[in-house]
Amino acid sequence: MIYLVREKTAQEEYSMNKAYHLTFREEELMDMLWSVGVPMTTGDMIAQEWDRTWKDSYLNVMIRSLLKKNAIRVAGFKQNANIYARQFEPTLTREEYTAKMISSKMKGRQI
């Protein structure tokens, strides 16, 4: 049996070594994705009745940032009339995010 091993991309290496931090608004968006539990398009996110502090026009900026941080990934595409929209899903659970936050804050400290 042959296994192919893929080397980490520069972006993945950067994400693993950098202290993990999401902004308040990114955390709000992640909370929505975790709560809904299914992949969502940006249109679905805007249509959600959700108490949020960000404007609709800021959503694409947050999506791009969360993709760069590997907090979300493209889960597929959804056709809406003759347009295809990307669907996004979290790459880690709420618990994994909390553990990453704690470990990045505690790095170098002793309890």
Side-chain angles (χ1 to χ4, degrees):
M1 194 176 284
I2 298 174
Y3 292 97
L4 298 175
V5 177
R6 181 180 68 87
E7 290 187 27
K8 292 179 186 165
T9 64
Q11 181 180 358
E12 289 171 330
E13 194 68 40
Y14 171 77
S15 296
M16 290 180 73
N17 293 330
K18 186 177 178 234
Y20 205 79
H21 177 72
L22 298 180
T23 66
F24 177 74
R25 290 181 175 146
E26 289 170 342
E27 283 183 357
E28 280 185 351
L29 182 56
M30 290 297 291
D31 192 43
M32 181 187 347
L33 290 169
W34 286 320
S35 297
V36 172
V38 294
M40 299 176 73
T41 65
T42 53
D44 295 336
M45 293 174 201
I46 291 170
Q48 282 287 317
E49 294 296 324
W50 199 262
D51 188 26
R52 58 182 187 232
T53 60
W54 43 271
K55 297 183 183 211
D56 297 348
S57 59
Y58 191 63
L59 181 59
N60 286 326
V61 173
M62 288 191 299
I63 293 289
R64 199 170 27 255
S65 175
L66 290 170
L67 284 168
K68 184 177 178 181
K69 294 176 182 179
N70 288 325
I72 61 171
R73 67 175 163 239
V74 177
F77 295 88
K78 181 179 178 183
Q79 185 176 5
N80 193 2
N82 60 347
I83 298 172
Y84 286 89
R86 295 181 298 173
Q87 291 180 310
F88 301 98
E89 67 182 0
T91 57
L92 63 166
T93 65
R94 185 177 285 140
E95 293 77 19
E96 290 170 333
Y97 169 69
T98 304
K100 255 187 165 179
M101 282 293 295
I102 292 170
S103 69
S104 70
K105 300 267 187 211
M106 298 303 292
K107 196 174 258 186
R109 295 183 187 171
Q110 291 185 357
I111 298 176

